[in-house]
Amino acid sequence: MLQRTLSIIKPDAVRNGFTGAILAEIHRAGFRIVAIGKQSISKPEAEGFYAVHSGKPFFDSLTGFMSSGPLILMVLEKDNAIADLRKLMGATDPANAEEGTIRKKFAGSIQENAIHGSDAEETAAFEIGYWFAGYELI
Ligand code: ATP
Ligand code: MG
């Protein structure tokens, strides 16, 4: 089933110069880039995006990190996009990520882990709508 997911190349990966290499992995895996933009986000914007984690001990640190520099926001499309991107990303903690995954190759820590991908259809719909307007998704 053709599906869309929200992905972010996180500030650590942008800062480290991995944007192009990560986009190449995404391309090679067969995703179509529906929309893309480089942007710096505020701490409140990061807090709204990660609201589901607001009770977690790492919430303040995570939202500080996400607002620490430019990131790449993308809407990606392919069959089974949500699960396939999660597989391509690898485990949250790069120490546990499988060989060949984006986090294994490009992430430095459990927080600064290079890439985000929506984890379910409902979260993908929320996350895409959070960052993109309908006219940007044609
Ligand atoms: P993402 O939602 O970014 O795609 P994920 O679904 O693999 O990653 P979540 O459990 O949703 O992981 O956590 C969201 C993000 O919060 C992680 O990607 C990571 O940047 C950060 N994070 C998760 N767990 C920790 C932790 N124990 N310490 C610090 N940061 C964490
Ligand atoms: Mg998540």
Side-chain angles (χ1 to χ4, degrees):
M1 182 191 49
L2 197 61
Q3 209 175 40
R4 288 179 176 186
T5 190
L6 187 283
S7 184
I8 302 176
I9 302 178
K10 295 187 180 183
D12 60 314
V14 174
R15 231 178 338 257
N16 291 329
F18 296 145
T19 299
I22 292 173
L23 286 174
E25 301 271 348
I26 287 168
H27 172 75
R28 192 149 57 101
F31 291 88
R32 178 172 86 88
I33 297 172
V34 178
I36 186 166
K38 185 176 186 180
Q39 183 174 328
S40 294
I41 67 171
S42 68
K43 187 136 188 309
E45 286 169 343
E47 288 167 356
F49 177 70
Y50 276 126
V52 62
H53 292 304
S54 61
K56 307 267 173 69
F58 56 81
F59 182 67
D60 186 60
S61 165
L62 171 63
T63 53
F65 159 60
M66 291 299 285
S67 54
S68 69
L71 44 69
I72 312 292
L73 294 167
M74 302 176 278
V75 177
L76 303 176
E77 184 178 78
K78 76 184 284 295
D79 283 337
N80 205 32
I82 294 170
D84 284 2
L85 181 65
R86 302 277 298 180
K87 203 167 165 207
L88 181 66
M89 285 160 48
T92 308
D93 185 347
N96 303 324
E98 272 184 57
E99 219 50 63
T101 61
I102 288 173
R103 282 170 170 163
K104 182 74 178 185
K105 289 183 187 168
F106 303 112
S109 72
I110 190 169
Q111 177 174 280
E112 305 208 354
N113 61 0
I115 187 166
H116 165 85
S118 309
D119 62 10
E121 279 197 46
E122 312 76 69
T123 44
F126 165 77
E127 292 177 358
I128 290 168
Y130 191 82
W131 296 116
F132 291 93
Y135 69 85
E136 297 174 286
L137 301 171
I138 300 160

